[in-house]
Amino acid sequence: MIAKGFTEPTARIKALKAEVVNAVPEVEPYRAVLITESYKETEGMPAVMRRAKANEKIFNNLPVVIRDNELIVGALSVKPRSTNLCPEFSFDWVEKEFKTMATRMCDPFVITEETADILHEVFKYWKGKTTSELATSYMSQDCLDCQAGGVFTVGNYYFGGIGHVCVDYGKVLKIGFKGVIAEVVEAMNKLDANDPEYLQKRAFYEAVIISYNAAINFAKRYSKKAAEMAATCTDPVRKAELLQISKNCDRVPENGATNFYEACQSFWFVQALVQIEANGHSISPGRFDQYMWPYLEADKSISKEFAQELLDCLFVLLNHVNKTRDDVSDQAFAGYAVFQNFGVGGQTEDGLDATNPVSYMCMDAAAHVRLPAPSFSVRIHNQTPDEFLLRACELARLGTGVPAMYNDEAIIPALCNRGLTLADARNYCIIGCVEPQCPHKTDGWHDAAFFNVAKVFDIAIHGGKNRDGKQLGPVTKPMPEWKSMDDLYEAYETQIEYFVSKLVEADNAVDIAHKERAPLPFMSALVDDCIGRGKTVMEGGAIYNFTGPQAFGNVDTGDAIYCIKKHVFEDKDLTMQQIYDAMEHNFGAELGAGCYDGPFVRLSTDSAEPAAAAMESVSVSSEDSMESIINAVVQKILAEKGSNLSMSVDTKSEACTSCSDAQRAEYDRIRHILDATPCFGNDIDEVDMCARKATQVYSHEVEKYKNPRGGQYQAGCYPVSANVLFGKDVQALPDGRYSNAPLADGVSPRQGHDVKGPTAAGNSVAKLDQLNISNGTLYNQKFLPSAVAGDQGLLNFAAVVRNYFDKKGMHVQFNVIDRETLLDAQAHPENYKDLVVRVAGYSAHWTVLAKEVQDDIIARTEQHF
Amino acid sequence: MSNMEPSCDTSKKGLVFNIQRFSVNDGPGVRTIAFLNGCPLRCKWCCNPESQELKPVVMFKAQNCVGCGNCEVVCPTGASNLNVPGKIDHTKCIACGKCIDVCYHRALEMSGKWMTVEELMGELYKDRVIYRKSGGGITVSGGEAMVQHEFLLELLKACKSFGWTTAIETTGMASEEVIKEIVPWLDVVMMDIKHIDPEVHKEYTGVSNEQILKNALLISSLAKKMIIRVPVIPGFNASPNVIAAIAKFTTYLHNVNELHLLPYHDLGSNKYGMLGKEYELADVQKPENEFMEELKAIVEKEGLTCKIGG
């Protein structure tokens, strides 16, 4: 048998897991109160010092919590799976959601009245002091208009911390926080007082020392607490465990780890503290098997079972990390996702296979725990042992959506093309969803924006005008005037050029705001070469600096372009004007055709009623109005400081109900022709080349730009789950897609349009010149369990991966689950509390996903073997 | 694609009604199946009735039809008629495809396309990497692929010029000459033996099994690997006695030690309606799993390896 099966987790792990599954996430006030107190005390100090003093206050005062059964300790919240807030980045959306956050569609959090009162007081201090407000003040009106118009959003870092980093865990395991402090002291001693940056560097070093000193104390508080609990513990087994925990926390992370258990504990403190310092998500452990294996290998006293249990504990712990975002962003990142990407496998810096026993143990841990976190990744190269790939397929076959698989043979050259050394590129890890970077040397700014390529094409169709009639982009020839494919591309390229420049403006504004208001000393000291350069990552301290805005809607655009090419210029069975007219009438259908049920309300700029008031006017208790609330909030967030907006029922629906039956039939006929056109995902070169070009136009434009940290922009191509949400902003397209319907999911073919099987779909996706989309691509495939059954099923599964990777695909992930199961889970969520599915770059509990996101997952083509 | 064997005539044309990529149940590894038109048999349970004739056929999907009548207007022979069950009078239809061009709701579609070996190879070539990764290759099916033996021969030669493994799903109904010509180019022959009794065979398939059983012996002496397959059809051969007889017969073949039992399914039944035909086995139930296991045990008693499903 090739399949080895997976064992049952221990009773302890089951109990720890149950605590996560049954948790009711809550917003806690502690951190927000502490940082506010600290900021009040440090006004007038340099920003980096204020952050250090805030770290000190938080690390020294955040409640210490040791949960039953835990072997590894360090809590980010008192209640399980709960969260603290970071008002220093933004806060007003929380205030607005005090009453609704517990009942909202995606990722609800309980906020008690007491907490709401405390936070209300705390927030008063932050008015005008957040990174978000500073970023807005840097943006031009044009730039704000583009965001209000739904072309792109930079919401991620606009409203929260940056995160998206893999810090140097290995260094802490080796030399401890004391070692980090020693490095800083040495660097400080070498400082030249004549260096023009001397004072800033000194402030940074002092900030690091203050932060790490407090971080050591954070662990000591756990040591003390564990000892106290042991003293009163009557169960001798637990008492011994608590004493061991106390001993571990006394030793690490202050010092280097001397055994595997200490290494696990030390790892966890780093993982926790980085996420207490700020709320940026995608704090990714990276190549865990590489830095942990030496400690297991050298540990002669630990049993295999105990080592496995420790890993299992870590896999559970990662699920206690939780963050809340505004309602809209939470739809884009549905499922309490925090994207701690945890990877195994791949190759060493000198190009040899790097798999080791910890790589396999992590797969067992993922099978034991089966919770949404971590985002578990495996790296595959052409020398990866079959045993490793087959084991990964066996894990994927369980249906939890992990591991995601990454292709060294594509990613390494892609990173070299961005200036990484070969050794650094070979050492890449995955951050967040799918983004590759060299660990602890990179400030990747990977989730810099969602950029809606289909929206840009929509605007190009209309000569630079948005759907409200406003001239949002430069004036170009509208679709009816396109006389050739050159005209089409000229319009599309001109619009892309413009909107990418505005995207860069928005991202750089946010970048500068973080540098000025939130330089983070704790995280920075674990990223090379911040200590050498004497500056935080926000100021350009990292060796590699990138900004990675991700596109989606490029596949839709490619299909739209092919439809025009084929019908207007090749077959000549339709004219440009015919297609245009049909689209303008939404192919004769009501607005909302091909979309999800529910009334659609959108905002226009015509009247003066402010969006916030409009939001309040919508009853939140009514299920039917959820859609309109979402749209209101979308527009609100995109329009931050933009034009006055008000709600109005879309005029489009009147337009199409007003057309005659004959017109409607004609528009419908045209839609059927367009919809029947060969499309991306079926391995047809001439079709796939259109999607390739549509994508390249974006990626080549993006890579022209530089960020304030001295690094380059690079394109990514993955929507997280934004393809559903942002599809609502795009009108009918020439591929027959109705207005407001969901867009394709990342580089994946349009839902239900890949009908030639998994290899054909994979071949199409691989044609997108993925090496230029170096901020990451995301490709979902869904298989039925019967399709991968048995040993032959595993071998075929592995062949699918090898095939796609031979063709230079970068990433692929699988949902192995049948449609009936998903439909049943939708109908009876109570029976599927622990069902985990792959959403996009991450997995989530099925039950917490919005219905729309669930529908989208169901709609993704099932590949029958 | 420039590496075709010189002796292979890639301009030869064949009628192909389906190319199914990523097939994992019809031969080793991941395979592409090329379905060729034409069949001397008329099995009542046939799941590809559109393949039986060696000509393209227009199929009608009632659920997509809005009754617009476009098809009637363009039909040059009067075959397209909204009043005919199945919309197409197949005795008049010349499969010109004009109705399909104007059927925007995709209620009509053409099954069967004349392709050169080169065109077909172009499609097969797209999955060459996964053939290599999985030990897969090409399977030809039908219809009865050997009906178009000239095309088939050139196709198999072309596949072999790339080193792909080749397999066939066959009824075994062909002339000795054709079998001798084709079988050496195949790595695996999966041949149906449906019944031992010539009369019953004829009643349900339209032909006697004498030639087929003779051919089974011939093929087994020529083939590198041969697997016998038995579609288990209730009311026809789904009885321990018949299965035992087929298993016994199989043991007389040269070097054949594998027999697969394929439980009846009605996945092709909707196609009969699309062709304006009646599906005679509409009342037949799928055999129970326990019963299939019972039959499997009978086959195994003859010392054969037995699998349920392909």
Side-chain angles (χ1 to χ4, degrees):
Chain A
M1 285 291 279
I2 295 167
K4 294 182 174 67
F6 293 97
T7 55
E8 279 286 301
T10 62
R12 179 198 309 276
I13 298 304
K14 285 180 181 165
L16 287 169
K17 180 183 164 178
E19 196 171 14
V20 171
V21 171
N22 297 320
V24 179
E26 207 171 290
V27 170
E28 298 185 354
Y30 312 107
R31 186 193 175 283
V33 169
L34 291 167
I35 193 170
T36 308
E37 276 175 20
S38 173
Y39 261 62
K40 285 178 180 167
E41 293 160 9
T42 60
E43 280 177 10
M45 290 186 189
V48 73
M49 185 52 67
R50 298 186 79 185
R51 293 299 311 200
K53 297 298 283 181
N55 280 342
E56 188 175 42
K57 181 150 268 182
I58 297 165
F59 295 168
N60 287 339
N61 294 287
L62 198 70
V64 169
V65 180
I66 297 176
R67 302 182 209 283
D68 290 347
N69 290 306
E70 280 189 332
L71 293 175
I72 297 165
V73 298
L76 287 84
S77 59
V78 175
K79 299 252 169 65
R81 219 183 183 195
S82 292
T83 190
N84 275 278
L85 297 178
C86 294
E88 66 270 30
F89 298 113
S90 68
F91 61 86
D92 42 0
W93 57 269
V94 186
E95 184 111 49
K96 288 192 186 100
E97 292 192 36
F98 273 163
K99 293 202 172 62
T100 58
M101 204 184 270
T103 55
R104 68 187 188 185
M105 195 165 73
C106 267
D107 300 1
F109 279 86
V110 168
I111 305 184
T112 65
E113 235 167 83
E114 193 194 348
T115 300
D117 290 344
I118 295 170
L119 290 174
H120 177 71
E121 280 309 305
V122 161
F123 289 164
K124 285 179 183 165
Y125 173 78
W126 291 99
K127 183 74 199 146
K129 297 188 176 73
T130 62
T131 52
S132 174
E133 289 155 297
L134 181 59
T136 305
S137 75
Y138 274 115
M139 293 178 197
S140 69
Q141 189 58 46
D142 282 349
C143 178
L144 291 164
D145 286 347
C146 292
Q147 295 172 68
V151 180
F152 58 83
T153 163
V154 294
N156 223 345
Y157 306 155
Y158 203 169
F159 302 111
I162 292 162
H164 291 83
V165 71
C166 177
V167 299
D168 199 345
Y169 300 90
K171 177 155 118 179
V172 177
L173 298 186
K174 202 165 163 194
I175 63 173
F177 286 174
K178 234 160 64 179
V180 175
I181 292 173
E183 271 185 19
V184 171
V185 169
E186 199 190 329
M188 232 169 145
N189 288 340
K190 283 194 201 142
L191 267 184
D192 175 359
N194 285 327
D195 178 346
E197 291 178 337
Y198 168 73
L199 294 175
Q200 283 130 293
K201 287 182 178 175
R202 194 181 67 186
F204 169 67
Y205 292 138
E206 287 170 355
V208 172
I209 291 168
I210 290 167
S211 298
Y212 278 76
N213 195 48
I216 291 169
N217 190 46
F218 184 80
K220 300 272 182 197
R221 291 168 64 214
Y222 272 89
S223 173
K224 202 168 146 228
K225 173 87 172 182
E228 284 166 13
M229 286 168 74
T232 59
C233 182
T234 52
D235 172 7
V237 176
R238 183 62 183 158
K239 190 187 183 89
E241 285 171 4
L242 286 165
L243 287 171
Q244 184 61 50
I245 289 168
S246 175
K247 216 174 122 199
N248 290 344
C249 297
D250 188 47
R251 178 161 180 88
V252 294
E254 181 182 12
N255 302 288
T258 59
N259 59 40
F260 187 68
Y261 193 177
E262 284 179 8
C264 288
Q265 180 63 64
S266 189
F267 160 82
W268 178 251
F269 273 124
V270 175
Q271 185 65 9
L273 287 162
V274 171
Q275 302 189 84
I276 293 170
E277 187 184 37
N279 66 355
H281 64 71
S282 304
I283 304 301
S284 300
R287 306 192 71 189
F288 184 84
D289 58 342
Q290 301 306 299
Y291 53 77
M292 291 302 283
W293 168 235
Y295 295 90
L296 184 59
E297 191 181 23
D299 195 332
K300 298 304 173 204
S301 59
I302 195 165
S303 74
K304 193 174 176 321
E305 292 71 28
F306 187 61
Q308 184 65 52
E309 191 170 40
L310 289 173
L311 278 188
D312 292 0
C313 284
L314 279 180
F315 269 61
V316 176
L317 264 176
L318 288 159
N319 289 279
H320 281 288
V321 179
N322 210 347
K323 301 175 194 202
T324 183
R325 285 169 281 256
D326 63 88
D327 189 16
V328 172
S329 300
D330 260 325
Q331 289 183 66
F333 299 97
Y336 296 111
V338 297
F339 309 96
Q340 300 166 96
N341 205 306
F342 193 107
V344 299
Q347 53 195 293
T348 61
E349 285 183 3
D350 60 346
L352 301 173
D353 180 64
T355 52
N356 63 46
V358 175
S359 321
Y360 292 88
M361 288 168 70
C362 289
M363 293 210 234
D364 283 315
H368 287 159
V369 175
R370 300 194 200 184
L371 286 170
S375 297
F376 185 55
S377 302
V378 296
R379 278 180 47 178
I380 306 294
H381 57 106
N382 59 17
Q383 302 297 312
T384 289
D386 284 343
E387 182 193 2
F388 180 77
L389 175 57
L390 288 165
R391 186 66 171 163
C393 289
E394 194 180 352
L395 177 59
R397 195 166 69 173
L398 294 177
T400 55
V402 296
M405 307 199 193
Y406 294 87
N407 181 12
D408 283 11
E409 308 306 334
I411 291 173
I412 291 168
L415 292 177
C416 286
N417 184 43
R418 299 295 180 211
L420 271 68
T421 65
L422 181 58
D424 281 348
R426 281 172 171 164
N427 192 34
Y428 81 88
C429 69
I430 299 298
I431 301 292
C433 289
V434 294
E435 306 95 276
Q437 66 160 236
C438 175
H440 65 80
K441 288 185 179 177
T442 310
D443 184 16
W445 248 74
H446 292 296
D447 263 341
F450 287 126
F451 187 93
N452 191 342
V453 171
K455 176 75 182 175
V456 174
F457 192 67
D458 179 9
I459 290 172
I461 285 168
H462 296 92
K465 289 197 173 82
N466 198 9
R467 69 193 298 174
D468 57 10
K470 192 171 155 185
Q471 189 71 39
L472 198 58
V475 176
T476 49
K477 275 186 204 164
M479 179 174 158
E481 292 172 32
W482 296 344
K483 301 289 177 234
S484 64
M485 289 303 288
D486 287 346
D487 284 352
L488 178 157
Y489 279 115
E490 194 187 316
Y492 171 57
E493 283 167 18
T494 304
Q495 299 298 342
I496 284 279
E497 205 175 301
Y498 175 77
F499 288 113
V500 168
S501 78
K502 292 299 149 195
L503 163 81
V504 167
E505 179 185 329
D507 267 335
N508 286 353
V510 176
D511 209 332
I512 293 165
H514 280 276
K515 172 185 157 187
E516 292 183 356
R517 285 195 173 163
L520 303 177
F522 180 79
M523 180 187 111
S524 295
L526 293 179
V527 176
D528 301 337
D529 188 27
C530 289
I531 292 176
R533 294 178 187 178
K535 50 170 112 165
T536 62
V537 292
M538 291 76 203
E539 298 158 297
I543 292 172
Y544 300 111
N545 289 283
F546 293 104
T547 300
Q550 66 268 23
F552 59 93
N554 46 309
V555 164
D556 306 78
T557 302
D559 279 349
I561 290 173
Y562 180 71
C563 276
I564 292 174
K565 180 168 179 259
K566 180 172 170 64
H567 294 294
V568 179
F569 296 110
E570 290 170 4
D571 297 357
K572 299 190 169 64
D573 53 350
L574 292 171
T575 65
M576 203 70 92
Q577 189 69 47
Q578 271 180 308
I579 299 176
Y580 182 80
D581 289 344
M583 281 160 48
E584 287 305 280
H585 293 91
N586 199 27
F587 303 111
E590 302 276 335
L591 195 65
C595 299
Y596 301 105
D597 297 341
F600 181 80
V601 180
R602 59 180 294 276
L603 297 160
S604 76
T605 50
D606 303 339
S607 109
E609 195 188 351
M615 281 170 58
E616 283 158 19
S617 73
V618 179
S619 156
V620 291
S621 57
S622 155
E623 281 251 293
D624 288 349
S625 60
M626 279 320 259
E627 193 92 342
S628 48
I629 297 170
I630 297 153
N631 278 285
V633 182
V634 175
Q635 300 291 344
K636 157 76 181 66
I637 287 190
L638 300 181
E640 189 88 355
K641 293 257 172 161
S643 43
N644 277 339
L645 301 174
S646 75
M647 307 270 289
S648 70
V649 175
D650 194 274
T651 51
K652 275 281 158 53
S653 60
E654 286 168 33
C656 65
T657 49
S658 73
C659 62
S660 70
D661 284 354
Q663 279 172 313
R664 202 168 313 151
E666 172 60 3
Y667 298 148
D668 186 49
R669 180 184 77 91
I670 291 170
R671 198 193 85 82
H672 274 92
I673 294 173
L674 296 171
D675 193 51
T677 310
C679 56
F680 181 78
N682 297 298
D683 203 2
I684 306 164
D685 273 348
E686 53 173 350
V687 180
D688 298 341
M689 288 305 134
C690 288
R692 177 185 166 97
K693 182 158 180 187
T695 309
Q696 281 175 329
V697 167
Y698 176 71
S699 65
H700 289 319
E701 191 59 31
V702 164
E703 68 190 13
K704 290 178 186 164
Y705 288 90
K706 290 264 186 299
N707 63 36
R709 289 163 284 119
Q712 192 187 7
Y713 273 72
Q714 58 173 347
C717 206
Y718 54 96
V720 192
S721 50
N723 57 310
V724 176
L725 180 63
F726 289 91
K728 290 174 185 171
D729 255 336
V730 181
Q731 301 177 81
L733 289 175
D735 59 2
R737 172 192 159 281
Y738 287 116
S739 185
N740 298 24
L743 296 164
D745 162 27
V747 292
S748 306
R750 287 190 287 144
Q751 290 86 340
H753 281 73
D754 50 330
V755 296
K756 291 280 168 76
T759 51
N763 287 356
S764 283
V765 174
K767 288 178 208 167
L768 289 179
D769 193 13
Q770 297 196 17
L771 268 67
N772 269 311
I773 318 171
S774 49
N775 195 49
T777 63
L778 187 157
Y779 179 37
N780 278 313
Q781 280 202 327
K782 185 143 65 77
F783 288 112
L784 299 176
S786 57
V788 288
D791 276 357
Q792 187 60 47
L794 270 188
L795 290 169
N796 290 338
F797 197 161
V800 171
V801 176
R802 295 270 195 206
N803 177 62
Y804 181 60
F805 284 179
D806 250 29
K807 302 203 162 186
K808 304 292 180 217
M810 284 169 78
H811 156 273
V812 62
Q813 64 198 30
F814 302 93
N815 268 334
V816 180
I817 192 151
D818 59 26
R819 184 187 163 80
E820 278 62 39
T821 306
L822 293 179
L823 289 170
D824 194 49
Q826 208 170 33
H828 307 286
E830 65 280 5
N831 300 336
Y832 292 90
K833 242 179 146 178
D834 62 350
L835 173 60
V836 174
V837 295
R838 192 83 176 166
V839 180
Y842 62 100
S843 296
H845 278 121
W846 173 259
T847 49
V848 304
L849 297 172
K851 177 163 185 303
E852 306 188 338
V853 177
Q854 292 181 349
D855 286 342
D856 188 58
I857 292 172
I858 294 171
R860 280 177 211 156
T861 310
E862 287 172 40
Q863 304 289 5
H864 296 260
F865 278 55
Chain B
M1 290 291 293
S2 56
N3 190 27
M4 297 261 182
E5 196 157 291
S7 64
C8 157
D9 178 4
T10 58
S11 65
K12 189 74 88 189
K13 278 195 167 182
L15 187 61
V16 180
F17 73 95
N18 193 10
I19 299 167
Q20 186 180 307
R21 295 170 66 173
F22 214 87
S23 230
V24 294
N25 290 324
D26 302 280
V30 175
R31 314 187 70 79
T32 300
I33 309 186
F35 290 89
L36 273 49
N37 279 70
C39 188
L41 276 61
R42 289 294 178 269
C43 304
K44 291 184 196 288
W45 61 87
C46 178
C47 59
N48 292 325
E50 74 278 27
S51 72
Q52 292 171 350
E53 304 293 334
L54 188 53
K55 64 175 194 188
V57 59
V58 177
M59 297 177 81
F60 172 66
K61 285 184 188 170
Q63 71 272 23
N64 287 3
C65 180
V66 295
C68 68
N70 285 351
C71 51
E72 280 186 4
V73 175
V74 298
C75 181
T77 65
S80 184
N81 183 339
L82 289 175
N83 300 317
V84 171
K87 294 286 185 288
I88 305 289
D89 180 345
H90 290 278
T91 59
K92 291 186 189 161
C93 179
I94 55 168
C96 64
K98 288 194 173 131
C99 56
I100 293 165
D101 290 344
V102 298
C103 183
Y104 307 113
H105 291 84
R106 278 179 279 174
L108 295 171
E109 66 179 41
M110 186 75 79
S111 171
K113 185 181 169 191
W114 288 101
M115 297 176 88
T116 63
V117 169
E118 184 168 5
E119 282 167 341
L120 179 52
M121 286 300 290
E123 286 302 305
L124 305 180
Y125 191 71
K126 288 177 174 176
D127 270 337
R128 65 197 179 283
V129 174
I130 203 159
Y131 306 149
R132 194 170 74 232
K133 300 284 178 193
S134 68
I138 308 304
T139 298
V140 288
S141 184
E144 168 51 59
M146 285 191 283
V147 166
Q148 301 186 58
H149 58 91
E150 291 176 354
F151 174 73
L152 177 61
L153 180 64
E154 301 308 320
L155 175 66
L156 292 173
K157 284 182 185 171
C159 289
K160 278 297 166 198
S161 75
F162 288 123
W164 298 338
T165 70
T166 51
I168 190 169
E169 294 179 312
T170 178
T171 63
M173 192 67 177
S175 71
E176 269 185 36
E177 292 71 40
V178 168
I179 286 170
K180 284 180 181 160
E181 184 180 51
I182 297 294
V183 172
W185 291 93
L186 291 162
D187 296 292
V188 182
V189 178
M190 291 169 281
M191 176 176 161
D192 275 12
I193 293 182
K194 300 172 172 84
H195 211 291
I196 289 297
D197 184 316
E199 288 309 312
V200 182
H201 196 276
K202 185 156 189 199
E203 188 191 337
Y204 275 81
T205 69
V207 300
S208 165
N209 64 1
E210 282 162 42
Q211 178 79 37
I212 292 172
L213 296 180
K214 230 192 289 170
N215 284 350
L217 273 165
L218 175 62
I219 293 172
S220 72
S221 67
L222 294 170
K224 296 187 187 76
K225 180 178 168 72
M226 183 180 187
I227 297 167
I228 298 301
R229 290 171 143 194
V230 184
V232 178
I233 316 293
F236 167 59
N237 66 0
S239 77
N241 291 344
V242 180
I243 299 301
I246 295 173
K248 179 60 92 183
F249 175 82
T250 303
T251 61
Y252 298 149
L253 301 175
H254 304 279
N255 299 319
V256 178
N257 51 24
E258 209 171 329
L259 186 151
H260 297 171
L261 295 171
L262 313 181
Y264 167 75
H265 64 77
D266 59 2
L267 296 177
S269 62
N270 66 320
K271 293 185 191 168
Y272 285 80
M274 293 161 73
L275 293 164
K277 289 183 179 174
E278 198 191 333
Y279 186 57
E280 289 182 47
L281 302 192
D283 296 330
V284 173
Q285 299 298 308
K286 289 169 212 161
E288 301 286 332
N289 288 342
E290 297 76 44
F291 181 62
M292 291 303 299
E293 289 296 335
E294 211 177 292
L295 298 181
K296 182 176 177 219
I298 290 169
V299 174
E300 284 169 343
K301 224 182 275 171
E302 293 294 343
L304 298 167
T305 303
C306 183
K307 221 165 85 177
I308 298 171

